[in-house]
Each structure stands twice: as C-alpha cells, then as structure tokens.
Amino acid sequence: MRRLETVAALHEWRRDLGGSLGLVPTMGFLHEGHLSLVRRARGENDMLAVTVFVNPTQFGPREDFARYPRDLPRDLGLLEREAVDLVFVPDPQEIYPEGFQTYVTVPELSERWEGASRPGHFRGVATVVAKLFVLFRPERAYFGQKDYQQLQVIRRLARDLGFPLTVVPCPIVREPDGLALSSRNSYLSPAERQAATVLFRALQAGEAAYRAGERSGHRLQAVVKEVLAQEPLAKPDYVAVADPETLEELDEVGARGAVFCLAVWIGATRLIDNCLLARP
Ligand code: AMP
C-alpha cells in the first residue's frame, strides 16, 4: 500500500496507472461503514485509492473540526488489510493552497435540511470532492447513503460538471441496535449512546406508518417526531419527509417515494440518519 501526502506525488502515481480506478473519500477514524465502501470498491476496480482528509471547508466556525476524531496509524492498518493500493493523506495546504478562492456550489440541493443547519457545509463538500475527482480521475467513486443529501449533491455535481465516472451509492451500515455507524458516535457517553438508538426507532416508526398506507408528509413527519420526543436526551434539529432526488419537502408521498432524513442532537453531539422509502 502506497501512502502519499502531496498533490505532486499523486499526479505522478496517477500518470502511470493502468486499469480502472475506484476512489473512496473519507475523513478517517474508519469504521465498518467506511470499510463496506472500501470492500465494494476493491471488488469492482483494478486499483483502489482511499483518501483520509478531515476537510476544513465543510466545517462551520462553531463546529467540531479541531476535535474531530483522528487516528491515522489505526486507519492505515485497517486499509492495509483491505488491500488498498493507495492512501492519500494530504495536509490542508495541499488541497487549499495559499490564496485559494475557487469553490463548487450546488445551490438548490444544498439549501435545505443539512445545508440550512450547516451553512457552507455542502460548498466545502462539493469543492473537495470535485478536487478529488480532478486529481484522481477515478472510474468509480463510492459514497455512503448514510449522508443522503451529500450523496445527492455529489451526484448532481458529477452530472453537471460532466465527470466521466460513476457515483456508486452504498447502503448504511448499522450497529446491532440500529445506530448508524459514524465517527462522531465516539463522542457519546454511555447514556447518550443508549439514547442515540432513538434515531433508528423513529425512522422505523415512520417507515411502518408508510407501509401501513400513510402518505401525508405532515403526518409521517409527526410519527417520526413523536418517537424522538420520547427520548429526553434527544433534541431534534430537523425531520424531513422529502423527495428522494430533489430533497424538496413533500405534502404527499407519490410514485417517486420519499426519504426520511433527520438530524438530532444527543447532548453536544449532532447525529444524522435517514431511510429511503420506495413503493412496495
Ligand atoms: P466520512 O468519513 O464521515 O466523511 O464518511 C466517508 C464516507 O463513508 C461517506 O461517503 C459516508 O457516507 C460513508 N459512511 C459513513 N458512515 C457510514 C455508514 N454507517 N454506512 C455506510 N457508509 C457510511
């Protein structure tokens, strides 16, 4: 496994590369969710690159960039075991050189939900992902459905800018009790960790109501909120019943189905989760 830290070294590596390249961008502190993307990518490509980069531009000034969990030695060990060919671990100056001012924005998809709560977040995500697409020129790039709105933003930018690659969505990996794996779960105290199971239970209740025939966006949202309200440590940020592609809020779930997206504060930790509903 090669480990590269500079854009110059990466260009050289890419120039001589034959066969198809798969790319898995991450912020590190890897867990089974990340590794599910890596394994999928390993099986579908000749060469496999993973990036470990805590991207400063996608964090707001009052967010957790400085304390975001990091453990590079552990990450490298895990990736070595997955037969990754290249790990790219750039410093922020490599990605954002002195005087950097060019950003990629996907305004409509970014304006609501996660984007409304985290101004500038998707601009940071779209910019770094576009840069990685330019640097790596992968055939396929792998993203988790855990970050559902992010996935839609990236699909849109790949289409709009005409990147010749396939964005491969990968299913959410969960703990046995339903909590979606996330590097931020490491912030939770034992009591908070227990409380955090409410996200999945709330989504399940919403899904059950949908399966039982409920189609009103407002009433489906109320079902999800009711479950969240039963957990004293949980403070919902948003609960969305939205179109799966545009993420516009739905009055009525129609033939395109819906996605439930939620963001919930558990103490000082903000967690997100979602559930995609298609017609049975
Ligand atoms: P992150 O390091 O949080 O930026 O995540 C890197 C990639 O892993 C993103 O495409 C995430 O959507 C994906 N990912 C994170 N957690 C999970 C999970 N529990 N299941 C599936 N994919 C995930």
Side-chain angles (χ1 to χ4, degrees), residues 185-195 233 269:
N185 293 350
S186 64
Y187 297 149
L188 302 169
S189 70
E192 289 170 344
R193 169 65 187 80
Q194 182 53 40
L233 293 180
T269 303

Side-chain angles (χ1 to χ4, degrees), residues 82-103:
E82 302 297 336
V84 169
D85 295 294
L86 174 80
V87 186
F88 185 52
V89 191
D91 278 342
Q93 310 89 272
E94 282 293 316
I95 301 296
Y96 303 109
E98 186 66 26
F100 186 92
Q101 54 181 294
T102 305
Y103 289 90

Side-chain angles (χ1 to χ4, degrees), residues 158-225:
R159 263 178 279 164
D160 289 353
L161 296 180
F163 286 105
L165 55 81
T166 306
V167 172
V168 182
C170 301
I172 303 175
V173 177
R174 298 179 179 281
E175 299 281 5
D177 64 7
L179 179 65
L181 297 191
S182 165
S183 306
R184 289 191 169 97
N185 293 350
S186 64
Y187 297 149
L188 302 169
S189 70
E192 289 170 344
R193 169 65 187 80
Q194 182 53 40
T197 59
V198 76
L199 277 80
F200 184 59
R201 277 185 281 119
L203 290 170
Q204 282 188 308
E207 181 172 12
Y210 175 81
R211 300 276 170 235
E214 183 60 77
R215 292 293 182 271
S216 151
H218 181 75
R219 283 199 294 274
L220 286 167
Q221 190 192 48
V223 169
V224 174
K225 282 185 170 166

Side-chain angles (χ1 to χ4, degrees), residues 36-50:
S36 72
L37 274 56
V38 170
R39 288 175 195 138
R40 171 98 187 257
R42 180 69 285 172
E44 296 180 349
N45 299 278
D46 300 317
M47 298 296 284
L48 172 56
V50 176

Side-chain angles (χ1 to χ4, degrees), residues 24-37 51 53 58 68 142-148 150-151 154 168 170-175 179-185:
V24 181
T26 82
M27 299 205 298
F29 210 69
L30 303 177
H31 51 63
E32 282 294 318
H34 299 111
L35 296 180
S36 72
L37 274 56
T51 65
F53 179 59
Q58 72 187 68
Y68 192 83
Y142 296 81
F143 295 92
Q145 276 172 317
K146 159 81 180 1
D147 300 279
Y148 188 87
Q150 166 175 291
L151 173 65
I154 291 165
V168 182
C170 301
I172 303 175
V173 177
R174 298 179 179 281
E175 299 281 5
L179 179 65
L181 297 191
S182 165
S183 306
R184 289 191 169 97
N185 293 350

